[in-house]
């Protein structure tokens, strides 16, 4: 009865810290005497710790099986989908950039104290640029963690964009950026095959 009461009390209190393994001294004949061996306290089915460890392993196995089943279902779904890829059609170009759309990416790191003035100048620039023939679209993205803006400008072709750079509103925006920006503007361009309206 006392043993059962003691085990019940231990289970309610939670597992005790495992005791340090016992160290036994064994006499060996020969050069090495007094070698030490550690006797591990093995877990037997009667030991209350065995149930705790065993249930933890079963829960972990169950979680793994759930993940494996989910992955298997996903693989099955992907295998059933039929992807229809069209063969690539070669386009013969005459070397002219008139048949390409120009994408311009501009990265602008703005000074915190100049943020409102920059936004006003940017708004005026976008209104003027989008009213020009040849400007297909302008998108602005502000990075939330910092005061950096990325502009994406889409132009019918590179000649239209070069003409745009010579306009008064574009030059005004470029001059104002000297005062508004922490670092010089970073600009990249890319020509993409497309059909222009001209």
């Amino acid at each position: 009865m006392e043993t059962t009461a003691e085990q019940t009390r231990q289970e309610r209190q939670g597992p005790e810290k495992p005791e340090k393994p016992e160290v036994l001294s064994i006499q060996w004949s020969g050069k090495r005497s007094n070698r030490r061996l550690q006797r591990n306290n093995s877990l037997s089915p009667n030991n209350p710790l065995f149930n705790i460890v065993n249930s933890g392993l079963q829960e972990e196995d169950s979680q793994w099986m759930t993940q494996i089943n989910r992955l298997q279902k996903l693989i099955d779904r992907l295998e059933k989908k039929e992807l229809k890829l069209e063969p690539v059609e070669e386009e013969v170009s005459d070397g002219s950039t008139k048949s390409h759309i120009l994408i311009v990416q501009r990265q602008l790191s703005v000074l915190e104290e100049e943020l409102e003035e920059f936004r006003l100048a940017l708004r005026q620039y976008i209104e003027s640029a989008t009213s020009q023939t040849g400007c297909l679209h302008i998108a602005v993205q502000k990075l939330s963690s910092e005061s950096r803006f990325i502009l994406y400008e889409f132009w019918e072709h590179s000649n239209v964009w070069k003409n745009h750079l010579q306009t008064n509103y574009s030059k005004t925006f470029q001059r104002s950026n000297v005062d508004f920006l922490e670092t010089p503007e970073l600009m990249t361009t890319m020509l993409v095959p497309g059909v222009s309206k001209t």
Side-chain angles (χ1 to χ4, degrees), residues 164-195:
H164 150 76
L165 291 177
Q166 300 306 314
T167 61
N168 287 334
Y169 69 87
S170 178
K171 289 180 180 181
T172 302
F173 183 64
Q174 290 171 16
R175 277 193 298 271
S176 65
N177 284 344
V178 171
D179 298 328
F180 298 151
L181 301 183
E182 287 180 25
T183 58
E185 173 182 352
L186 179 63
M187 183 183 304
T188 55
T189 61
M190 180 172 54
L191 286 171
V192 179
V195 179

Side-chain angles (χ1 to χ4, degrees), residues 3 22 27 31 67 69 76 82 96 100 115 122-125 133 153-155 159 165 170 174 180 182 185:
T3 306
E22 295 177 22
Q27 295 293 328
K31 296 180 182 175
Q67 289 293 339
N69 290 338
D76 290 344
E82 292 182 28
S96 157
H100 288 76
L115 203 53
L122 178 62
R123 196 172 303 121
Q124 292 171 348
Y125 170 76
T133 57
E153 300 180 18
F154 298 83
W155 297 90
N159 291 338
L165 291 177
S170 178
Q174 290 171 16
F180 298 151
E182 287 180 25
E185 173 182 352

Side-chain angles (χ1 to χ4, degrees), residues 20-138:
K20 291 183 181 178
E22 295 177 22
V23 178
L24 299 176
S25 291
I26 299 177
Q27 295 293 328
W28 292 89
S29 60
K31 296 180 182 175
R32 298 181 189 175
S33 60
N34 292 329
R35 278 198 180 187
R36 294 181 166 198
L37 290 178
Q38 291 185 350
R39 189 177 72 190
N40 294 327
N41 290 330
S42 62
L43 296 176
S44 67
N46 297 335
N47 189 331
L49 289 176
F50 178 78
N51 292 334
I52 293 169
V53 171
N54 197 23
S55 66
L57 291 175
Q58 288 174 351
E59 286 176 18
E60 189 175 311
D61 285 347
S62 172
Q63 290 174 353
W64 280 111
M65 290 307 296
T66 303
Q67 289 293 339
I68 290 170
N69 290 338
R70 287 179 60 207
L71 287 173
Q72 186 61 46
K73 287 177 185 176
L74 179 62
I75 290 170
D76 290 344
R77 275 196 339 217
L78 290 173
E79 287 176 346
K80 289 178 185 174
K81 285 190 176 185
E82 292 182 28
L83 295 177
K84 296 181 181 179
L85 299 176
E86 299 294 326
V88 177
E89 292 181 26
E90 262 184 40
E91 186 176 314
V92 179
S93 175
D94 60 1
S96 157
T97 59
K98 292 250 183 205
S99 63
H100 288 76
I101 295 172
L102 178 72
I103 301 173
V104 180
Q105 180 192 41
R106 302 170 74 170
Q107 295 183 29
L108 307 157
S109 296
V110 181
L111 294 165
E112 284 289 331
E113 60 271 10
E114 301 292 340
L115 203 53
E116 290 305 314
E117 291 291 323
F118 171 78
R119 284 185 174 170
L120 179 63
L122 178 62
R123 196 172 303 121
Q124 292 171 348
Y125 170 76
I126 291 173
E127 287 174 6
S128 299
T130 53
S131 66
Q132 295 294 314
T133 57
C135 179
L136 302 173
H137 182 69
I138 295 181

